[in-house]
Amino acid sequence: MSRVLSVVTSQLRRNVYFYPSLFRVLQRSLSSTAPDRYAAVQGDANGSTPLGMRWKDSAETVIIGGGCVGVSLAYHLAKAGMKDVVLLEKSQLTAGSTWHAAGLTAYYHPGINLKKIHYYSIKLYEKLEEETGQAVGFHQPGSIRIASTPERVDELKYQMSRAHWHPNPQSLISPEKIQELFPLLNMDKVLAGLYNPGDGHIDPYSLTMALAAGARQYGAKLYFPAPVTGLTPTAEGKWDVETPQGTIRANRIVNATGFWAHEVGKLVGFQHPVIPVHHQYVVTASVPEVKALKTELPVIRDLEGSYYLRQERDGLLFGPYERQEKMKLQESWVTDGVPPGFGKELFESDLDRIMDHVEAAMEMVPVLKDADIINVVSGPITYTPDLLPMVGPHQGVRNYWVAIGFGYGIIHAGGVGKFLSDWIMNGEPSYDLIELDPNRYGKWTSTAFTAAKARESYGFNNIVGFPKEERFAGRPTERVSGIYETLKSKASMGFHAGWEQPHWFYKPGDDVGYKPSFRRTNWFEPVGRECKLVMEKVGVMDLTPFGKFIVRGKDSTKLLERLFANVIPKVGVTNISHMLTPRGRVYAEVTVTQLSPGEFMLVTGSGSELHDLRWIEQEAVEGRYSVEITNVTDDMGVLGVAGPNARKVLQKLTDEDLSDSAFRFLHCRSVTLADIPVTAIRISYTGELGWEMYHKRQHTASLYQAIMEAGQEEGIDSFGAYAMNSLRMEKGFRAWGAEMNCDTNPLEAGLDYFIKLNKPADFIGKQALLDIKAKGLSRKLAYLTMQTDDVDPEGNETVWHNGKVRVSFFN
């Protein structure tokens, strides 16, 4: 490590006039020996495969990658009873990002179901040493997220409103309590804190070795060094996993290879959108003030300073997240590949990049100014464009699963191992985690986009987490509709699966632009105006981001009967149908239209495009249905026209009779509007009279212009996604991902009308629903009206009744 530290000294010399004591102690530390925990581990790891040992030549599951996530999955699958689990690690267990991780564990997560991942991980780590006999070095002093601005206090209150329907312990605490828990803080700017008792940190190496011991205990085989050199799919959907020691035939493979995920993905034909980030943290020698404490300090996260800080023995460990213009990506590993020998190595450090954070930390924790630095760690951590990992089966190829892109792999490892194990063993996820779905990315996700978004996500690690957050790096992608150029200066745009879609529109006098807040902000009145437009006149919305599939073939009806709980519509008719899991949960909501005998158009939400397509394709293959499934999402544009004047406007553009008797609700017809061929469906998610018009994407601009010109007398205008969401809730229309998902069955979500339990076909989930209905429901969706001044429910807030948590909002 002396080479790394000498580089750090030269980088820091330019900052000596700020903190001369820090520079001196850093110089003195150059000849010191770093603790083993932070030194590059060399040589063989415990449990490597003995030379000459005969490997298994077949397996139920082959996991590629021996970091904490891969080993956790091996442990959970074997513990769940899977007999043939094999893990292949190219060098040593923990090589990659695991061994040098700071090891933080936190109950807190700003999302909803990811809290379950965190909770399970911590509960597992608490008992893992007792179960396996392997020490894990788990410390649980708690953690405090520090708010030092009024806006941060709002953020903490917002997160508290979403906390109590989870078991995760969390409370809002005062500056006095913060000082009591962390007496070394400078309290001048501290306004409040979010406290999670039970948070802490764990030794990543020891954790992985304990999971490995447990995996072996339950029968899994862990082979290393065992680089994977080839992945070949078989006709029956299995995989030949090639290594220098031979080939293993697997029923499924799981890519859990950390910063090698891109290379392994290429063996299958995928360009996974992951990229390594240089993350640095600093470790100090013993600090007298820390050593004098009788209890371990809680982990603190100074959100304005954008760093975490925890106790490390009698010293401190400090890790910042640099701003996006300063942080460093290892882009060459995406374009040129990871250096073959890179495993338990580090990058050279660069303290210049983090000096702003160093200064902020020294102001907040003054004892840092005189602390001896014994190590600066700079290692690769893999990021996805949105910071969240990619977890689950991948669309486009059979029996290929991923668990990659972990920016916080230690706290995710336990819960993700359990989540994936349950999914693999039971054929469906144990709960909804669509935000981690690897299929949220598609061909539109370029390397340039991935790099731009990863830089943004890393730099925004501790920014205020507003509702309805938008991030603009890397936008727009190739996914823009034909009217994007027309609308982009007139609307606040949202990002939906690569698409740009208007959220709300500006008028003269409006406060324009993206201005997020925890309170009512600049979009509130304009959205009300758009709702009134659709209810009283007529509005046009760009619905191009919908996911759109064509299913045709001799078994198309049989396949859809198996997939959907509703009856299959007749030719020229549309209905709302739901795909259910075997347990009877709502996997997807889809609009199904039979265009011609045996030819169907399926339409789903933009965020569900490949999520739903994977499920459909899987059933088609496993059931041996003779069908052709085509994803036409990028080929078709969609415009929605809704409001009491919708018929008057559209009738001006066609000779077709659009009267109520001639063109009934939930019917479909091929028409010509303004000389443009259109598949028109009489349906509107707003609940008003309306049509959705599907057409070739290159015709969107001409069709939009014609509709807008035809509707001038009727007061036509554009409206956005915020207004549509408000209108659909007022009508009681459910939305997948809000009122229903894989955590909800359709009966408790109030979808009884769309579920045909008496239809002859044995659709997926039918028996489970019959059992649920016979047993009776324990909960039911309800709509509440709230009177507020300037703070509105955003979704998943906790509802209390008589001092107890009863339900949560799905807004």
Side-chain angles (χ1 to χ4, degrees):
M1 298 302 294
S2 60
R3 177 169 175 264
V4 173
L5 288 172
S6 65
V7 173
V8 171
T9 304
S10 64
Q11 294 288 345
L12 190 60
R13 185 170 285 117
R14 278 168 283 178
N15 298 296
V16 65
Y17 55 88
F18 284 115
Y19 296 108
S21 60
L22 176 64
F23 177 68
R24 288 195 301 272
V25 297
L26 182 58
Q27 279 189 308
R28 289 201 301 272
S29 75
L30 291 179
S31 60
S32 64
T33 302
D36 291 343
R37 165 70 175 81
Y38 301 104
V41 179
Q42 303 296 329
D44 197 17
N46 294 333
S48 61
T49 309
L51 292 175
M53 174 182 175
R54 179 173 175 81
W55 287 19
K56 293 174 68 67
D57 57 11
S58 65
E60 178 71 21
T61 299
V62 167
I63 302 161
I64 309 169
C68 58
V69 174
V71 177
S72 173
L73 178 56
Y75 161 84
H76 282 94
L77 283 173
K79 188 174 182 178
M82 185 175 286
K83 299 302 181 185
D84 295 308
V85 179
V86 171
L87 181 143
L88 303 176
E89 162 54 42
K90 70 181 298 292
S91 57
Q92 304 168 22
L93 297 184
T94 78
S97 297
T98 295
W99 79 270
H100 63 74
L104 298 179
T105 58
Y107 280 115
Y108 174 85
H109 192 277
I112 299 304
N113 278 347
L114 266 170
K115 296 179 193 292
K116 297 179 181 179
I117 295 288
H118 288 218
Y119 183 84
Y120 178 88
S121 291
I122 288 177
K123 293 306 178 186
L124 171 66
Y125 301 165
E126 287 175 346
K127 63 184 182 183
L128 196 57
E129 182 173 339
E130 178 183 353
E131 179 183 352
T132 65
Q134 298 281 325
V136 296
F138 194 20
H139 297 247
Q140 293 182 276
S143 74
I144 307 169
R145 299 176 67 83
I146 294 174
S148 51
T149 68
E151 198 168 52
R152 287 288 185 187
V153 175
D154 274 356
E155 180 183 22
L156 301 192
K157 290 179 178 178
Y158 172 65
Q159 288 300 334
M160 282 303 302
S161 75
R162 297 153 63 91
H164 290 289
W165 60 284
H166 286 277
N168 301 14
Q170 182 171 293
S171 59
L172 192 63
I173 59 176
S174 67
E176 292 75 21
K177 182 63 176 178
I178 296 171
Q179 180 80 86
E180 177 188 333
L181 293 168
F182 202 117
L184 304 183
L185 283 183
N186 173 5
M187 301 298 295
D188 290 350
K189 296 180 180 179
V190 177
L191 300 178
L194 199 65
Y195 179 50
N196 290 91
D199 283 9
H201 54 95
I202 195 167
D203 176 50
Y205 182 87
S206 299
L207 168 64
T208 307
M209 291 306 168
L211 289 167
R216 294 189 185 98
Q217 175 182 323
Y218 294 114
K221 302 297 183 184
L222 281 59
Y223 298 143
F224 53 94
V228 172
T229 57
L231 294 169
T232 305
T234 69
E236 64 269 28
K238 298 184 179 184
W239 289 90
D240 284 338
V241 183
E242 301 161 24
T243 78
Q245 290 81 8
T247 298
I248 303 173
R249 176 155 291 186
N251 288 355
R252 73 184 56 79
I253 55 176
V254 183
N255 182 350
T257 54
F259 55 69
W260 291 91
H262 196 263
E263 264 86 338
V264 173
K266 285 167 66 176
L267 296 177
V268 180
F270 289 120
Q271 295 283 336
H272 291 312
V274 293
I275 192 167
V277 172
H278 289 227
H279 179 63
Q280 301 186 100
Y281 62 83
V282 174
V283 185
T284 78
S286 178
V287 176
E289 294 86 346
V290 175
K291 188 174 183 178
L293 296 170
K294 296 181 179 179
T295 58
E296 184 176 354
L297 292 167
V299 179
I300 64 165
R301 290 172 174 83
D302 180 1
L303 303 175
E304 299 307 314
S306 191
Y307 63 85
Y308 57 83
L309 183 144
R310 69 167 176 83
Q311 187 171 333
E312 173 64 21
R313 299 177 181 152
D314 293 331
L316 296 169
L317 184 152
F318 154 76
Y321 294 96
E322 305 102 297
R323 295 189 300 273
Q324 56 183 308
E325 67 272 14
K326 287 190 173 184
M327 57 82 67
K328 186 174 181 180
L329 299 174
Q330 195 63 31
E331 295 176 74
S332 64
W333 287 11
V334 176
T335 56
D336 305 327
V338 181
F342 200 100
K344 290 188 172 179
E345 288 75 36
L346 294 171
F347 299 128
E348 291 188 352
S349 308
D350 181 1
L351 251 67
D352 270 359
R353 296 207 322 264
I354 65 171
M355 279 311 299
D356 291 348
H357 307 279
V358 170
E359 293 166 15
M362 288 178 173
E363 182 181 358
M364 183 66 75
V365 188
V367 297
L368 272 175
K369 293 181 181 180
D370 296 314
D372 291 1
I373 294 177
I374 60 171
N375 215 335
V376 181
V377 174
S378 179
I381 296 179
T382 308
Y383 265 43
T384 63
D386 61 8
L387 181 56
L388 295 174
M390 299 168 64
V391 176
H394 208 291
Q395 186 272 333
V397 65
R398 295 170 65 188
N399 297 317
Y400 173 67
W401 297 59
V402 296
I404 58 178
F406 288 89
Y408 308 101
I410 302 304
I411 185 56
H412 287 156
V416 164
K418 171 65 171 169
F419 177 80
L420 277 180
S421 173
D422 287 348
W423 194 344
I424 290 169
M425 297 293 287
N426 301 326
E428 64 177 285
S430 46
Y431 48 89
D432 184 74
L433 270 180
I434 193 173
E435 61 267 45
L436 305 192
D437 187 358
N439 306 299
R440 67 189 186 272
Y441 301 116
K443 294 178 181 179
W444 54 270
T445 316
S446 66
T447 299
F449 174 84
T450 299
K453 298 303 286 187
R455 184 176 295 279
E456 177 186 58
S457 293
Y458 188 84
F460 284 3
N461 230 294
N462 287 308
I463 67 165
V464 177
F466 291 106
K468 297 181 173 65
E469 182 184 61
E470 288 292 326
R471 297 186 176 185
F472 296 95
R475 295 170 54 183
T477 71
E478 66 183 35
R479 282 190 145 182
V480 293
S481 80
I483 53 174
Y484 170 71
E485 292 297 328
T486 301
L487 301 182
K488 68 179 183 180
S489 63
K490 303 176 182 179
S492 179
M493 288 287 179
F495 189 70
H496 301 266
W499 295 97
E500 298 290 328
Q501 186 176 37
H503 277 168
W504 62 278
F505 285 85
Y506 312 141
K507 291 294 181 186
D510 286 344
D511 184 10
V512 304
Y514 171 66
K515 297 182 179 178
S517 175
F518 295 101
R519 301 170 188 274
R520 289 180 181 170
T521 184
N522 60 334
W523 57 260
F524 184 80
E525 294 299 333
V527 170
R529 178 177 64 216
E530 291 174 22
C531 290
K532 186 175 182 180
L533 165 77
V534 176
M535 290 189 292
E536 297 179 358
K537 297 179 181 178
V538 58
V540 181
M541 183 174 176
D542 186 3
L543 299 173
T544 299
F546 279 163
K548 303 168 282 280
F549 320 127
I550 299 296
V551 179
R552 58 169 66 92
K554 74 181 185 68
D555 290 339
S556 58
T557 300
K558 287 174 59 179
L559 170 63
L560 300 192
E561 287 281 16
R562 173 65 176 160
L563 283 169
F564 292 109
N566 204 345
V567 296
I568 303 307
K570 298 177 181 179
V571 174
V573 178
T574 298
N575 70 17
I576 308 300
S577 296
H578 298 83
M579 294 192 290
L580 309 182
T581 72
R583 290 189 302 161
R585 305 299 180 94
V586 185
Y587 187 84
E589 181 177 81
V590 179
T591 301
V592 180
T593 303
Q594 188 163 186
L595 301 174
S596 61
E599 180 181 12
F600 297 87
M601 181 169 69
L602 277 52
V603 180
T604 188
S606 57
S608 302
E609 176 194 346
L610 300 183
H611 169 271
D612 295 1
L613 182 60
R614 186 202 65 81
W615 188 268
I616 295 166
E617 290 174 335
Q618 176 179 297
E619 182 60 29
V621 170
E622 292 181 354
R624 300 181 183 274
Y625 295 94
S626 178
V627 293
E628 176 188 339
I629 302 168
T630 308
N631 186 356
V632 295
T633 299
D634 290 334
D635 302 323
M636 278 187 167
V638 189
L639 292 179
V641 179
N645 293 335
R647 181 180 286 114
K648 292 180 183 178
V649 173
L650 295 178
Q651 191 67 78
K652 297 178 186 180
L653 301 174
T654 183
D655 293 331
E656 295 284 339
D657 185 356
L658 302 183
S659 66
D660 189 59
S661 58
F663 202 143
R664 295 164 55 197
F665 180 56
L666 292 180
H667 278 60
C668 170
R669 189 183 303 171
S670 294
V671 302
T672 299
L673 288 176
D675 297 323
I676 296 170
V678 167
T679 297
I681 302 176
R682 188 179 156 193
I683 191 173
S684 173
Y685 205 27
T686 66
E688 305 296 334
L689 173 67
W691 278 262
E692 291 175 358
M693 289 160 294
Y694 296 77
H695 54 275
K696 291 183 178 180
R697 193 168 154 195
Q698 61 265 35
H699 294 157
T700 303
S702 298
L703 182 60
Y704 175 81
Q705 182 178 358
I707 293 170
M708 294 300 286
E709 289 176 355
Q712 291 303 302
E713 292 181 5
E714 287 74 23
I716 198 168
D717 211 338
S718 295
F719 70 102
Y722 286 179
M724 184 174 71
N725 193 50
S726 177
L727 289 164
R728 68 98 186 161
M729 281 195 291
E730 289 180 354
K731 303 300 190 299
F733 292 173
R734 279 62 165 159
W736 196 91
E739 291 87 359
M740 53 171 161
N741 56 19
C742 290
D743 297 329
T744 316
N745 73 60
L747 303 182
E748 62 191 5
L751 299 172
D752 310 52
Y753 176 81
F754 305 101
I755 308 301
K756 309 303 183 185
L757 289 171
N758 59 348
K759 82 172 191 176
D762 183 23
F763 61 84
I764 298 171
K766 182 177 184 178
Q767 186 56 53
L769 277 191
L770 290 170
D771 295 342
I772 290 168
K773 187 173 183 179
K775 184 178 179 181
L777 300 177
S778 59
R779 61 177 188 166
K780 188 80 173 179
L781 177 69
Y783 285 84
L784 304 179
T785 300
M786 295 190 65
Q787 298 296 326
T788 66
D789 295 324
D790 72 337
V791 178
D792 296 306
E794 290 290 344
N796 295 294
E797 287 90 347
T798 306
V799 178
W800 295 72
H801 179 67
N802 290 337
K804 294 183 179 181
V805 175
R806 296 299 183 184
V807 292
S808 65
F809 278 112
F810 299 104
N811 192 355

